[in-house]
Amino acid sequence: MFAYIPILAVVIFILVTSLRVLNEYERGVVFRLGRIIGAKGPGLILLFPVIDRMTKLSLRTFAMDVPNQDVITRDNVSIKVNAVVYFRVVDPIRAILEVEDYMYATSQISQTTLRSVCGGVELDEILAHRDMVNERVQTILDLHAGPWGIKVANVELKYIDLPQEMQRAMAKQAEAERERRAKVINAEGEFQAATKLAQAAEIISARPEALQLRYLQTMREMAAESQTATILPIPLDFIRSFFHGPSHAAPARAGMEPAEARPAPAPRTTVELTDRPEATPDGDA
Protein backbone atom coordinates (compact mmCIF):
# COMPACT_ATOMS: atom_id res chain seq x y z
CA MET A 1 0.00 0.00 0.00
CA PHE A 2 2.83 2.31 0.77
CA ALA A 3 4.13 1.74 -2.76
CA TYR A 4 1.17 3.67 -4.23
CA ILE A 5 1.78 6.75 -2.11
CA PRO A 6 4.43 8.27 -4.44
CA ILE A 7 2.25 7.59 -7.46
CA LEU A 8 -0.72 9.23 -5.76
CA ALA A 9 1.40 12.23 -4.83
CA VAL A 10 2.54 12.61 -8.43
CA VAL A 11 -1.06 12.45 -9.68
CA ILE A 12 -2.16 15.07 -7.15
CA PHE A 13 0.74 17.33 -8.12
CA ILE A 14 -0.14 17.02 -11.81
CA LEU A 15 -3.78 17.84 -11.13
CA VAL A 16 -2.87 20.84 -9.02
CA THR A 17 -0.50 22.22 -11.62
CA SER A 18 -2.98 21.55 -14.43
CA LEU A 19 -5.83 23.53 -12.91
CA ARG A 20 -6.22 27.24 -13.72
CA VAL A 21 -8.86 29.69 -12.57
CA LEU A 22 -9.71 32.67 -14.75
CA ASN A 23 -11.75 35.65 -13.63
CA GLU A 24 -14.83 36.86 -15.43
CA TYR A 25 -12.90 39.56 -17.31
CA GLU A 26 -10.04 37.22 -18.33
CA ARG A 27 -9.56 34.79 -21.19
CA GLY A 28 -6.84 32.22 -21.76
CA VAL A 29 -5.48 31.33 -25.20
CA VAL A 30 -4.31 27.69 -24.99
CA PHE A 31 -1.52 26.24 -27.17
CA ARG A 32 -1.11 22.49 -27.35
CA LEU A 33 2.22 21.40 -28.76
CA GLY A 34 2.53 24.83 -30.39
CA ARG A 35 -0.87 24.78 -32.05
CA ILE A 36 -3.68 26.95 -30.79
CA ILE A 37 -6.79 25.10 -29.65
CA GLY A 38 -8.95 28.09 -28.63
CA ALA A 39 -9.66 30.68 -25.98
CA LYS A 40 -10.90 29.35 -22.64
CA GLY A 41 -12.50 30.94 -19.64
CA PRO A 42 -13.76 32.24 -17.41
CA GLY A 43 -13.80 29.76 -14.52
CA LEU A 44 -11.85 26.52 -13.97
CA ILE A 45 -9.59 25.34 -16.79
CA LEU A 46 -7.73 22.03 -17.00
CA LEU A 47 -4.39 21.98 -18.83
CA PHE A 48 -2.19 19.03 -19.61
CA PRO A 49 1.26 19.53 -18.18
CA VAL A 50 4.23 19.84 -20.53
CA ILE A 51 2.10 19.81 -23.69
CA ASP A 52 -0.24 22.74 -22.95
CA ARG A 53 0.67 26.40 -22.57
CA MET A 54 -1.77 29.22 -21.83
CA THR A 55 -1.48 32.96 -22.41
CA LYS A 56 -3.85 35.02 -20.29
CA LEU A 57 -5.43 38.27 -21.53
CA SER A 58 -7.73 40.85 -19.95
CA LEU A 59 -10.89 41.97 -21.70
CA ARG A 60 -11.26 45.17 -19.67
CA THR A 61 -10.84 48.60 -21.22
CA PHE A 62 -7.31 49.98 -21.08
CA ALA A 63 -6.55 53.68 -20.70
CA MET A 64 -3.24 54.31 -22.44
CA ASP A 65 -1.51 57.66 -22.19
CA VAL A 66 0.02 58.92 -25.43
CA PRO A 67 3.14 60.99 -24.57
CA ASN A 68 3.79 64.51 -25.87
CA GLN A 69 4.21 64.66 -29.62
CA ASP A 70 5.94 67.53 -31.44
CA VAL A 71 3.60 68.55 -34.24
CA ILE A 72 3.77 71.25 -36.91
CA THR A 73 0.25 72.17 -37.98
CA ARG A 74 -0.83 72.98 -41.50
CA ASP A 75 -0.45 76.72 -40.82
CA ASN A 76 3.18 76.16 -39.67
CA VAL A 77 2.66 76.44 -35.90
CA SER A 78 4.83 74.22 -33.69
CA ILE A 79 2.85 72.67 -30.82
CA LYS A 80 3.02 69.72 -28.43
CA VAL A 81 0.01 67.44 -28.14
CA ASN A 82 -0.72 64.48 -25.89
CA ALA A 83 -3.80 62.31 -25.66
CA VAL A 84 -5.36 59.31 -23.97
CA VAL A 85 -6.64 56.25 -25.84
CA TYR A 86 -9.30 53.89 -24.50
CA PHE A 87 -9.31 50.41 -26.06
CA ARG A 88 -10.03 46.79 -25.21
CA VAL A 89 -9.42 43.31 -26.57
CA VAL A 90 -12.44 41.85 -28.35
CA ASP A 91 -10.74 38.82 -29.97
CA PRO A 92 -8.09 37.20 -27.75
CA ILE A 93 -6.92 34.76 -30.42
CA ARG A 94 -6.17 37.47 -33.00
CA ALA A 95 -4.55 39.65 -30.35
CA ILE A 96 -2.04 36.83 -29.74
CA LEU A 97 -1.56 35.55 -33.28
CA GLU A 98 -1.61 38.74 -35.39
CA VAL A 99 0.74 40.94 -33.35
CA GLU A 100 3.65 40.21 -31.03
CA ASP A 101 2.71 42.74 -28.32
CA TYR A 102 -0.65 44.37 -28.84
CA MET A 103 -0.07 46.95 -26.08
CA TYR A 104 3.18 48.21 -27.62
CA ALA A 105 1.75 48.12 -31.14
CA THR A 106 -1.33 50.11 -30.12
CA SER A 107 0.86 52.68 -28.37
CA GLN A 108 3.04 53.21 -31.42
CA ILE A 109 0.19 53.46 -33.88
CA SER A 110 -1.53 55.96 -31.56
CA GLN A 111 1.53 58.24 -31.52
CA THR A 112 1.99 58.22 -35.28
CA THR A 113 -1.71 58.73 -35.96
CA LEU A 114 -1.89 61.64 -33.53
CA ARG A 115 1.05 63.37 -35.24
CA SER A 116 -0.31 62.85 -38.73
CA VAL A 117 -3.85 64.02 -37.95
CA CYS A 118 -2.78 67.12 -35.99
CA GLY A 119 -0.25 67.98 -38.68
CA GLY A 120 -2.94 67.97 -41.36
CA VAL A 121 -5.21 70.58 -39.74
CA GLU A 122 -4.78 74.19 -38.67
CA LEU A 123 -4.32 75.34 -35.11
CA ASP A 124 -7.76 76.95 -34.94
CA GLU A 125 -9.39 73.66 -35.92
CA ILE A 126 -7.52 71.80 -33.16
CA LEU A 127 -8.56 74.37 -30.55
CA ALA A 128 -12.13 75.00 -31.68
CA HIS A 129 -13.06 71.60 -33.16
CA ARG A 130 -11.31 69.17 -30.85
CA ASP A 131 -14.13 66.65 -31.12
CA MET A 132 -13.58 66.40 -34.85
CA VAL A 133 -9.86 65.69 -34.34
CA ASN A 134 -10.66 63.08 -31.68
CA GLU A 135 -13.11 61.32 -33.97
CA ARG A 136 -10.66 61.29 -36.86
CA VAL A 137 -7.88 59.81 -34.73
CA GLN A 138 -10.26 57.19 -33.33
CA THR A 139 -11.40 56.16 -36.80
CA ILE A 140 -7.84 55.69 -38.06
CA LEU A 141 -6.78 53.77 -34.93
CA ASP A 142 -9.80 51.49 -35.11
CA LEU A 143 -9.06 50.79 -38.76
CA HIS A 144 -5.44 49.77 -38.05
CA ALA A 145 -6.00 47.96 -34.75
CA GLY A 146 -9.13 46.08 -35.86
CA PRO A 147 -7.18 43.21 -37.50
CA TRP A 148 -5.34 42.71 -34.21
CA GLY A 149 -8.57 42.06 -32.31
CA ILE A 150 -8.47 45.51 -30.68
CA LYS A 151 -11.46 47.86 -30.45
CA VAL A 152 -10.65 51.54 -29.88
CA ALA A 153 -13.49 52.96 -27.81
CA ASN A 154 -12.48 56.60 -27.53
CA VAL A 155 -9.62 59.07 -28.07
CA GLU A 156 -9.33 62.38 -26.20
CA LEU A 157 -6.77 65.14 -26.61
CA LYS A 158 -5.61 66.02 -23.12
CA TYR A 159 -3.25 68.97 -23.47
CA ILE A 160 -2.06 71.28 -26.23
CA ASP A 161 1.14 73.16 -25.46
CA LEU A 162 1.46 76.41 -27.44
CA PRO A 163 4.56 78.63 -27.75
CA GLN A 164 4.66 81.77 -25.62
CA GLU A 165 4.57 84.03 -28.68
CA MET A 166 1.43 82.31 -29.95
CA GLN A 167 -0.23 82.57 -26.54
CA ARG A 168 0.42 86.33 -26.43
CA ALA A 169 -0.89 86.76 -29.98
CA MET A 170 -4.06 84.81 -29.16
CA ALA A 171 -4.53 86.88 -25.99
CA LYS A 172 -4.31 90.10 -28.02
CA GLN A 173 -6.76 88.73 -30.56
CA ALA A 174 -9.23 87.77 -27.83
CA GLU A 175 -8.89 91.20 -26.20
CA ALA A 176 -9.51 92.97 -29.50
CA GLU A 177 -12.55 90.79 -30.13
CA ARG A 178 -13.94 91.64 -26.69
CA GLU A 179 -13.43 95.34 -27.30
CA ARG A 180 -15.18 95.08 -30.68
CA ARG A 181 -18.16 93.37 -29.09
CA ALA A 182 -18.30 95.99 -26.33
CA LYS A 183 -18.33 98.82 -28.88
CA VAL A 184 -21.04 97.13 -30.94
CA ILE A 185 -23.19 96.54 -27.86
CA ASN A 186 -22.68 100.15 -26.75
CA ALA A 187 -23.64 101.44 -30.20
CA GLU A 188 -26.74 99.24 -30.25
CA GLY A 189 -27.71 100.57 -26.81
CA GLU A 190 -27.31 104.17 -27.98
CA PHE A 191 -29.40 103.45 -31.08
CA GLN A 192 -32.19 101.88 -29.03
CA ALA A 193 -32.10 104.75 -26.52
CA ALA A 194 -32.27 107.32 -29.32
CA THR A 195 -35.19 105.48 -30.89
CA LYS A 196 -37.12 105.42 -27.63
CA LEU A 197 -36.39 109.10 -26.98
CA ALA A 198 -37.66 109.99 -30.45
CA GLN A 199 -40.86 108.03 -29.80
CA ALA A 200 -41.27 109.73 -26.44
CA ALA A 201 -40.80 113.16 -28.04
CA GLU A 202 -43.50 112.39 -30.61
CA ILE A 203 -45.91 111.34 -27.88
CA ILE A 204 -45.17 114.47 -25.82
CA SER A 205 -45.57 116.72 -28.87
CA ALA A 206 -48.96 115.16 -29.56
CA ARG A 207 -49.97 115.27 -25.88
CA PRO A 208 -48.47 118.34 -24.16
CA GLU A 209 -50.00 117.33 -20.82
CA ALA A 210 -47.62 114.35 -20.77
CA LEU A 211 -44.72 116.74 -20.20
CA GLN A 212 -46.48 118.20 -17.17
CA LEU A 213 -47.10 114.71 -15.78
CA ARG A 214 -43.46 113.86 -16.29
CA TYR A 215 -42.53 117.08 -14.51
CA LEU A 216 -44.70 116.18 -11.50
CA GLN A 217 -43.25 112.70 -11.40
CA THR A 218 -39.71 114.10 -11.35
CA MET A 219 -40.70 116.43 -8.51
CA ARG A 220 -42.05 113.50 -6.50
CA GLU A 221 -38.89 111.48 -7.01
CA MET A 222 -36.72 114.40 -5.93
CA ALA A 223 -38.88 115.06 -2.86
CA ALA A 224 -38.60 111.40 -1.80
CA GLU A 225 -34.82 111.67 -1.51
CA SER A 226 -33.33 112.86 1.76
CA GLN A 227 -31.69 116.06 0.57
CA THR A 228 -31.46 119.47 2.20
CA ALA A 229 -31.74 121.34 -1.10
CA THR A 230 -34.33 120.68 -3.77
CA ILE A 231 -33.71 121.78 -7.36
CA LEU A 232 -36.86 122.75 -9.21
CA PRO A 233 -36.65 122.44 -12.99
CA ILE A 234 -38.23 125.32 -14.93
CA PRO A 235 -40.57 124.29 -17.76
CA LEU A 236 -39.52 125.23 -21.26
CA ASP A 237 -42.88 126.91 -21.94
CA PHE A 238 -42.20 129.36 -19.11
CA ILE A 239 -38.80 130.33 -20.56
CA ARG A 240 -40.18 130.52 -24.12
CA SER A 241 -42.75 133.15 -23.05
CA PHE A 242 -39.99 135.68 -22.31
CA PHE A 243 -38.63 135.48 -25.85
CA HIS A 244 -41.82 135.25 -27.90
CA GLY A 245 -44.26 136.97 -25.55
CA PRO A 246 -43.65 140.69 -26.44
CA SER A 247 -43.77 140.07 -30.20
CA HIS A 248 -47.18 138.47 -29.90
CA ALA A 249 -48.53 140.71 -27.13
CA ALA A 250 -47.62 144.17 -28.52
CA PRO A 251 -50.54 145.49 -30.65
CA ALA A 252 -49.74 146.89 -34.07
CA ARG A 253 -50.46 150.54 -34.56
CA ALA A 254 -53.47 151.34 -36.77
CA GLY A 255 -52.75 152.28 -40.33
CA MET A 256 -49.10 151.28 -40.16
CA GLU A 257 -47.55 148.17 -41.65
CA PRO A 258 -45.15 146.12 -39.56
CA ALA A 259 -42.30 147.17 -41.84
CA GLU A 260 -43.02 150.87 -41.17
CA ALA A 261 -43.07 150.31 -37.44
CA ARG A 262 -39.43 149.38 -37.44
CA PRO A 263 -37.01 152.33 -37.24
CA ALA A 264 -35.31 153.32 -40.47
CA PRO A 265 -31.68 152.30 -40.76
CA ALA A 266 -29.06 154.96 -40.30
CA PRO A 267 -27.62 156.40 -43.57
CA ARG A 268 -24.25 155.11 -44.50
CA THR A 269 -21.40 157.42 -45.56
CA THR A 270 -19.19 156.24 -48.36
CA VAL A 271 -15.66 157.58 -48.58
CA GLU A 272 -13.95 157.24 -51.94
CA LEU A 273 -10.22 156.75 -51.75
CA THR A 274 -8.09 157.68 -54.76
CA ASP A 275 -4.41 157.47 -55.40
CA ARG A 276 -4.11 160.81 -57.29
CA PRO A 277 -1.28 163.10 -56.08
CA GLU A 278 -2.10 166.31 -54.32
CA ALA A 279 -2.44 169.49 -56.41
CA THR A 280 0.50 171.89 -56.33
CA PRO A 281 0.10 175.65 -55.73
CA ASP A 282 0.82 176.25 -59.38
CA GLY A 283 -2.10 174.03 -60.33
CA ASP A 284 0.08 171.33 -61.92
CA ALA A 285 -0.90 167.80 -61.38
Side-chain angles (χ1 to χ4, degrees):
M1 180 178 180
F2 292 100
Y4 295 102
I5 294 178
I7 300 175
L8 184 60
V10 171
V11 172
I12 294 175
F13 177 76
I14 291 174
L15 289 176
V16 171
T17 55
S18 300
L19 297 178
R20 297 287 188 276
V21 177
L22 297 179
N23 297 321
E24 183 67 29
Y25 56 86
E26 293 177 334
R27 296 294 183 272
V29 180
V30 180
F31 292 87
R32 179 167 297 169
L33 297 177
R35 296 178 64 87
I36 190 169
I37 61 175
K40 304 238 174 144
L44 184 64
I45 297 176
L46 179 62
L47 302 176
F48 293 100
V50 181
I51 62 174
D52 287 347
R53 181 176 60 86
M54 184 184 69
T55 302
K56 187 168 56 175
L57 293 88
S58 177
L59 301 184
R60 293 180 293 183
T61 300
F62 294 94
M64 184 178 62
D65 188 14
V66 181
N68 291 334
Q69 302 296 315
D70 293 328
V71 180
I72 299 178
T73 60
R74 192 169 61 183
D75 50 352
N76 297 326
V77 179
S78 178
I79 61 175
K80 290 184 178 180
V81 183
N82 62 353
V84 58
V85 179
Y86 299 91
F87 68 96
R88 61 188 180 91
V89 178
V90 294
D91 192 346
I93 297 178
R94 297 173 68 181
I96 295 298
L97 295 180
E98 300 296 335
V99 63
E100 182 180 1
D101 188 351
Y102 67 91
M103 291 290 293
Y104 178 77
T106 306
S107 175
Q108 294 300 312
I109 194 64
S110 300
Q111 296 179 27
T112 56
T113 303
L114 182 62
R115 285 198 301 268
S116 62
V117 171
C118 293
V121 297
E122 297 183 357
L123 179 60
D124 292 339
E125 296 182 11
I126 298 177
L127 298 177
H129 305 283
R130 187 174 297 187
D131 295 338
M132 181 187 66
V133 178
N134 295 337
E135 184 178 357
R136 189 179 303 178
V137 175
Q138 177 185 353
T139 303
I140 297 175
L141 285 179
D142 201 12
L143 181 63
H144 287 81
W148 304 338
I150 306 297
K151 174 62 179 177
V152 178
N154 194 13
V155 177
E156 291 291 338
L157 296 179
K158 283 200 312 182
Y159 182 71
I160 300 175
D161 188 8
L162 299 175
Q164 295 294 330
E165 296 80 5
M166 182 58 63
Q167 293 181 9
R168 287 193 293 267
M170 294 178 65
K172 291 180 180 179
Q173 180 183 2
E175 184 179 358
E177 180 65 21
R178 293 293 180 181
E179 291 180 358
R180 184 188 67 83
R181 292 181 182 179
K183 291 180 180 179
V184 170
I185 293 174
N186 189 17
E188 290 179 355
E190 294 292 340
F191 176 76
Q192 293 177 4
T195 304
K196 295 300 181 181
L197 288 176
Q199 295 176 0
E202 292 178 358
I203 295 175
I204 292 175
S205 63
R207 298 286 184 176
E209 59 273 10
L211 182 61
Q212 184 67 21
L213 294 177
R214 180 58 181 166
Y215 171 74
L216 295 176
Q217 183 181 3
T218 305
M219 292 291 297
R220 185 181 64 181
E221 293 177 356
M222 296 176 61
E225 298 180 358
S226 58
Q227 296 180 356
T228 57
T230 303
I231 301 175
L232 299 178
I234 300 176
L236 295 178
D237 294 340
F238 181 76
I239 299 176
R240 191 181 296 112
S241 63
F242 287 97
F243 295 96
H244 300 281
S247 61
H248 295 282
R253 287 179 292 177
M256 183 179 292
E257 295 296 331
E260 298 177 358
R262 293 195 299 268
R268 297 182 180 178
T269 303
T270 305
V271 179
E272 181 178 1
L273 299 178
T274 59
D275 54 353
R276 292 181 298 176
E278 296 181 356
T280 58
D282 297 336
D284 298 333

